[in-house]
Each structure stands twice: as C-alpha cells, then as structure tokens.
Amino acid sequence: MSRSIVLGLNAVIVAVTDEQPRVLAVDSEEGVALPYGPLDPNRHRTLELGLRSWVREQTGLELGYVEQLYTFGDRDRVSGHDERLLSVVYLALGRERSVPLADATWRPIYDFLPWEDWRNGKPGSIDRQLAPGLREWMERVGRTADRRQRCAVSFGLRGAPWDGERVLERFELLYEAGLVLESSPNAGGKSSGRSMALDHRRMVATALGRLRGKIRYRPVIFELLPAQFTLLQLQRVAEALAGARLHKQNFRRLVQRGGLVEGTGALETETGGRPAELFRFRQEVLRERPAPGVGLPGLAS
Amino acid sequence: MSRSIVLGLNAVIVAVTDEQPRVLAVDSEEGVALPYGPLDPNRHRTLELGLRSWVREQTGLELGYVEQLYTFGDRDRVSGHDERLLSVVYLALGRERSVPLADATWRPIYDFLPWEDWRNGKPGSIDRQLAPGLREWMERVGRTADRRQRCAVSFGLRGAPWDGERVLERFELLYEAGLVLESSPNAGGKSSGRSMALDHRRMVATALGRLRGKIRYRPVIFELLPAQFTLLQLQRVAEALAGARLHKQNFRRLVQRGGLVEGTGALETETGGRPAELFRFRQEVLRERPAPGVGLPGLAS
DNA sequence: GTCTCCTATGCTCCTAGTGAGTATAAGTGG
DNA sequence: CCACTTATACTCACTAGGAGCATAGGAGAC
C-alpha cells in the first residue's frame, strides 16, 4: 500500500468586528471548515499564490497580509483517506467585509475556543468543566509529574499565571484528554466549544496563539483596522485578540509614546461622549524601533 | 506535464561549541547540505518521526529538542527536478558530540552568514561590500521607497537600529540583490559567506532568526548546555546565538533574579580565575513566569 | 439652561526593571 | 608577593509599567 501524497492549503482568515475576532469559514460535509484547496504543482508557482487563488475561488475574497503558520502531517489526523494528506496552513489578516459567496461566513473565534476569552472575567467553564475534566483524565491515564506540569502551566492552575499565548498547548491538552471532540458536528456543549471539520479547530488555535504573540512585537494589528481609527477602537481590537481587558490610559500611553500612531487632527464624533481624535499607523516606527508592537498593559507580561 | 509532489524533510541541527554556533551538515553533490530525506507515507507516522529517523540514518545522531520551522514550496527554488519538491524544515537543538558517521560535520553558522556575527564589532563586510552592493542593486532595479525601507530596516542603515532577529529578511534581501549565490560551491568571497546546497542556507538563516527570538521568551538555551554550567558559559552561548556581546553583571542579574537557574553549590575550578559556582536550569520557572527567557542586556530590545 | 452620563485625554505617584559602572573576592602562574 | 584572570556584590540614574485622579467636551433628559 504505497500511498501518494496530497498537499492541501488552508487559510485561517481573521478579522475583528463588533469587538469579536472572527474567522472566515465555509460549510462542508464534515462541518464548519476553513477555506481549503489542494496544491496544483503546475498552476501554483508558490504555496502562498496557490492559497490566495483557492481563497478567491471559494470565498470571493482577495487576501492582503498572509504568513505561513504550520504544516500538519500526522498520518492519523484525518481518517478515511487513501492518500497521505499534508496541510500547509496560512494565517491571513483583513478587515471584515461582506463576502460575495454566500456559504462563506465570519464566525466568532471564541465560539470554537470559549475558554480563551477572559474579557468578562475568567470563563466559568474552566473551573466548572475543564479543570475537573483534566483531573479525571489524569486519574485515568496516570498522574505523572509531566502531565501535572502541563496542566498547571497551560491553564494557570496551582498558582501558575494564565498565559494568553499558550492557546495551542491548551487545545492539545484538552484534545488529548478527550474534552474537545472534533469531526462530530454537534459534540460538546457550550463549555468545550463548537467543533470544526477535521483538525481545523487546531489550526484556528494555532493562529490565535501566533497572533496574540505577534501583535506585541510587530504592528500587524493595523491590518485589522481601517486606515483611520480612534485609540479606543484600536484598544478594542487588541482586547478582542488578547481575550482580556486592558488599562485604558496606559494603553494610550504605550501606543503614543511608542510612536506607533500619529494623530490626524480629524475628530470622530460618533463616540457617544467627547469626540475622539482619529489616528493612523505611523510607518516610520519600523525604522526607529526594532520590535514595534502594541503592548498589552494590564496583562502579565 | 502533471507533476507529482515529493515531500522532503530537512533538519537544521544546532549546537554551540567553542563559543561558535554550529550546524550539522553532510556533503552532497551540490555542496554542503543539511540532513535530508523524503517523507515515506507508509513508514513515517508523523513528519517529526520521519525526520528523526532520517537524521539517525544519515548522521547517527539521536535528536532531542525539535520544532517545526517552515515549509518551503516555491516551484523555482530547486531546478532540474521533474517533481515538485516541498521541504518541511525542522530546527533541532543539542549538545555537540562526535558524530558516528564521518561525512557529517559541525560547521560554524557564521561561515555561511558572516554579517550576523557582531561580537567583535560591526562586521566590516557590511559597510565594505553589502551596503554598496545593495545600493548598486537598487540603482539597477529601481530605488522604490519600499526597497529603501527594507534595506534600512534589515541592515540598520540610515539611522535604523540593527535587529538581530531579522536574519531571514537580511538573507532574502541579499539573495534578491544577487549578493549571495547559492548552488555554486565556490561562489562568494569571505564577505558574502560560504554557500550551501540548494536553498539550505536560507533554511539556516530561518533557523538562526527563530532561535534568536526564542531564547528571549522560552528557556530553550538550556538544550544547548550540559546539565551543569557556570554563568559565564551560559552567557557565552547566549552571545554566540545573539551574535553580540552582553553586559556581564546585568546578564547574571537577569537569569538569577528571573529564577531561571539555581546554584548547585559545586564549584568549577578550571576557569583560569576565581572558581565559579555551577548552576542548573530551574524547571519550576515554567510555572512561575509566563515567558521565561534569558534576556539579552546590552542589546537594543 | 443645567444636570447627568458618556467617552477622551492629561497628569501624578509609585515600583520594578534595565543600563552602566565601581568595588571586592578568590583563584592561577610567575 | 606580584600581575592577571574570572567571579560576584553593590550602587546609581533612568525608564517603563501599574494604578488611579482630574479635567475636557460631547449627548440626552428634564
């Protein structure tokens, strides 16, 4: 049984609207799925171009910022295939807009990973379901020091701090423990989140973790915002991605003194309070600071 | 011409000895090459296991710490192949030791990327050859604002700071400008560095950039050290990777007060001066701090 | 108008961390 | 005992970050 290799291209396309980070997904037989297409060795000169063309075809969207995320290739990650399926996954950022093709829709990321959103305090499901579930799992498979350490570090148990960037570690731990079930459309209550096709939820987890890390040292957050924005809009997007509330005054101080933005003089009056100045991203910061990012005051660094 | 896909696995295996970061390489027809082997869909359950088995076969080395780096898949990156070659590249860390197989040797990374080593001041080749070369290239292809920005940011020209982590950006810029020539064993003088087979030098550049970033927020540097070490040894390894000198007293303060190491009480007397205490990595730091890394005092952060 | 309730924005205070350097300790080889 | 090496403790100034107070300028209720 000499199997051939098929190379798939997947995109985790992220946008933030109404203070919710969202991912563009299509409907498939296996459930909610990321835009996908196989690499065509003849047509696609590069992997990224192949990805862009598949996304265009399936969602009508022309991608802007794109970066490679990870390549998944375990044999058992998808069942029932005759070929060996490898998937190269990309992260794309953009502003949400209506998508021409009807079956492509923007879904809130935290529907799939509800334990990652701490903006309204610690999600109750962590103490109610996930932590007990992990404990049960450890009883079942053996309470090794290594497993205890992983649980503590990933979920901030036993005095460890919560680290927003460990999204993937948390997902993989829950997966191992059988607390998130994939490939079964209606599996899991609200606690363990909505599932996706195949291992697409793992891809979303990878993307969120990477994005949370990256906004701190590269100005990628501006890919998610219009050309002009108020500082509160910027903060809301940062909070949506970080999944945590930030200290307002200090956030402003950081982005302004850090030279990331510059005022335009124009005012936004639809704020519901005092009008806010509109700002724009300051390109020159790239030449001035080695690692310009937004900084997340109020988070454990 | 419907081409099939071949999936290659490459390893950038890094160790530090004699204050030099080194990469394990084998000799091939095209020149110095990274350990390589195609994925066997039947034998290799995961990509990482496939990689480990190829490295074992080609170098006799059993890998420890391994992480996925990047997947290269451009059509034109290798010429003369009938199939489309994709390469999934992994970064591996270890302590250097004699390698059973004779044609696998440890080569200094800075032989391939000499402009990355600033430990003895700014490498002269930057001002002598690379910067002028980039200028010429821009004259030739057009001096767009975007190109000027890339040059300035990557190489710290026109007042921009040098950012040690932008290894890949620098390499790609030099490659575009024709200042590093691959696939020609004797190309380039000392200035542009020794070349490697195919696009393997790009892989090494990717690995070095990732590693420089990672030691700051994950304690991976200890993978490169013996179980016990003096603080100066630790510092020398950090310097070797960062390609820069660090402030000694502040470096010690950072790793000690950061809880990354703990003294063993034992002394190392072969220092040539006052004996130094031997330290070991402190596992518990993982539970205490969200992003424990060594910190590089003296570098622009 | 004026009161209340928004959000925006400026400023202060305190603490922890970082950059840079001085001083002292404890070995080695002559 | 000397010069020289490396180790380690400590100081000082400065900056960045956490937390909160105070004021500014709009909208809507009355």
Side-chain angles (χ1 to χ4, degrees), chain B residues 132 284-285 299:
Chain B
E284 304 91 297
V285 75
L299 283 185

Side-chain angles (χ1 to χ4, degrees), chain B residues 43-62:
Chain B
R43 261 179 57 222
H44 301 142
R45 191 167 56 77
T46 72
L47 301 178
E48 189 181 311
L49 288 173
L51 179 92
R52 287 176 189 273
S53 106
W54 278 120
V55 169
R56 196 182 306 121
E57 209 162 293
Q58 287 180 17
T59 71
L61 193 68
E62 197 64 51

Side-chain angles (χ1 to χ4, degrees), chain B residues 182-205:
Chain B
E182 296 303 331
S183 309
S184 48
N186 297 317
K190 295 212 68 164
S191 65
S192 61
R194 199 179 295 271
S195 73
M196 296 185 87
L198 309 175
D199 55 354
H200 288 189
R201 188 148 57 139
R202 180 181 311 247
M203 298 175 185
V204 172

Side-chain angles (χ1 to χ4, degrees), chain B residues 106-121:
Chain B
W106 294 97
R107 322 245 177 167
I109 287 182
Y110 295 131
D111 281 3
F112 304 108
L113 308 167
W115 56 86
E116 294 294 342
D117 188 0
W118 285 53
R119 283 176 295 176
N120 299 310

Side-chain angles (χ1 to χ4, degrees), chain A residues 157-173:
Chain A
L157 309 174
R158 301 199 299 152
W162 178 269
D163 180 350
E165 297 181 25
R166 297 185 189 267
V167 184
L168 183 60
E169 285 173 54
R170 281 188 282 274
F171 183 81
E172 302 210 309
L173 200 52

Side-chain angles (χ1 to χ4, degrees), chain B residues 236-252:
Chain B
R236 292 293 180 230
V237 172
E239 288 176 336
L241 297 178
R245 292 273 163 226
L246 304 177
H247 186 283
K248 181 166 173 169
Q249 293 91 324
N250 290 346
F251 180 80
R252 312 170 108 268

Side-chain angles (χ1 to χ4, degrees), chain B residues 61-91:
Chain B
L61 193 68
E62 197 64 51
L63 293 182
Y65 178 93
V66 165
E67 75 175 67
Q68 191 184 298
L69 251 192
Y70 201 79
T71 299
F72 296 88
D74 287 8
R75 186 197 287 153
D76 309 317
R77 68 190 197 90
V78 285
S79 51
H81 270 270
D82 201 34
E83 306 96 352
R84 179 74 176 259
L85 177 65
L86 284 266
S87 296
V88 183
V89 185
Y90 282 80
L91 166 65

Side-chain angles (χ1 to χ4, degrees), chain A residues 58-100:
Chain A
Q58 286 179 18
T59 70
L61 194 68
E62 196 65 52
L63 293 182
Y65 177 92
V66 165
E67 75 175 67
Q68 190 183 299
L69 251 192
Y70 200 79
T71 299
F72 296 87
D74 286 9
R75 185 196 288 154
D76 309 318
R77 69 191 196 92
V78 284
S79 51
H81 270 268
D82 202 32
E83 307 97 351
R84 179 74 175 259
L85 176 64
L86 285 265
S87 296
V88 183
V89 185
Y90 282 80
L91 167 63
L93 302 181
R95 299 166 248 298
E96 180 178 326
R97 62 206 99 168
S98 59
V99 174

